[in-house]
Every structure is written in C-alpha cells, then in structure tokens.
Amino acid sequence: MKVKRNTLLLIACLVWCAAGFNIFRIGVLAYPAYITVWNLLLSVLVFAIFQKFIFGKLVRKHTARITGYAEERQFFLKFFDGKAFGIMVVMMTGGIGLRVSGIAPDRFIAVFYSGLGAALLLAGVWFGRNYGKAALDAVNMRERAEGKDV
C-alpha cells in the first residue's frame, strides 16, 4: 500500500508515540517503590542521553530522507529504513528479554524505562511536528500555485 510521502512522517509519529508511551508506562508503573531524587535525576539523564545522541538525530535523519523522496507516493513501511527496523527489533527483543528474564531489577526498569520511554515519546511528537510542518508547506505551495495570497 502506497501513501503520500508526508504521511510517512505521520506513521512514524504514531509508531514512535505508541512505543514511547508503552515503555514510559512500564517504567512509571515500576517507579512507586523507587521514587527518590537520585532515581529521578538518573531518569532525566537517561532521557537526555537518548534524546541528544540517538533519537533527536534519528528524527532529523529520517525526516530528511522521507521529505527527499522524489516520488510523492511511497510504500507505507518506508517511514524507516532497513537499519532502523533492525535497531527496533534488537531494542524490543532486548527490552522484553530483560523484563522476562528477571536480570534487570525493578529499580532499573523504573529508572531506565521512564527515561527511555519519554525520549521515544518525544521523538514521536517531533515526527508529528514535522508532519504538521510538511502538511502546512504543501498547502502553502498549492495556494501559491493557484495564485492565492499566503
């Protein structure tokens, strides 16, 4: 199924928001027994590291790739490239494995998942923002082509 190029940004928004919300929820549900200033600061640190060094760059890279497609209609799974899908599989498998195996203590799940989930959720919001900008740009271009004042 093919969708408009900018719709890929909306799909990325929905996928990342869903994943981020779910991981954040898991972390928050594990947090009540471990709420301390130190743990909250660690969660903020996890968030900042993932947002600055991974997800912020990923959003910019994939937005540029998507908006750079020459053809207007693209296969709906092209919101990611192969490498990104591979990373997603590894992260999901690792995260599920950590929780199911019991290797990671609940305190780690609370601190790490809260920070990671918040960073993922923000990445989804940024994809949504980029979708909104692209949609607005398309409307403005169409109005200019029709000779309307923008």
Side-chain angles (χ1 to χ4, degrees), residues 97-106 108-109:
L98 277 175
R99 284 195 345 265
V100 170
S101 70
I103 292 172
D106 284 345
F108 173 83
I109 298 296

Side-chain angles (χ1 to χ4, degrees), residues 14-143:
L14 297 173
V15 168
W16 282 82
C17 283
F21 177 80
N22 190 45
I23 292 169
F24 184 71
R25 183 185 60 79
I26 291 168
V28 167
L29 290 175
Y31 232 119
Y34 306 103
I35 294 177
T36 65
V37 171
W38 178 246
N39 286 342
L40 292 171
L41 289 174
L42 285 173
S43 290
V44 169
L45 180 63
V46 169
F47 166 81
I49 289 170
F50 274 92
Q51 190 56 51
K52 172 92 172 139
F53 297 108
I54 299 172
F55 300 132
K57 291 178 180 181
L58 184 140
V59 170
R60 285 188 297 277
K61 173 188 162 193
H62 287 287
T63 298
R65 179 181 53 77
I66 289 167
T67 56
Y69 284 140
E71 293 183 30
E72 176 62 26
R73 299 191 71 76
Q74 298 291 324
F75 183 61
F76 78 100
L77 289 178
K78 287 182 85 176
F79 68 93
F80 268 171
D81 58 13
K83 180 180 173 185
F85 275 113
I87 290 169
M88 182 190 293
V89 168
V90 168
M91 286 181 66
M92 288 174 64
T93 303
I96 292 167
L98 277 175
R99 284 195 345 265
V100 170
S101 70
I103 292 172
D106 284 345
R107 181 179 179 172
F108 173 83
I109 298 296
V111 171
F112 187 76
Y113 275 48
S114 295
L116 176 65
L120 281 165
L121 186 56
L122 182 58
V125 168
W126 280 359
F127 273 119
R129 177 200 64 190
N130 293 343
Y131 167 75
K133 284 182 178 180
L136 186 58
D137 288 347
V139 167
N140 288 338
M141 285 179 59
R142 190 170 37 252
E143 287 180 353

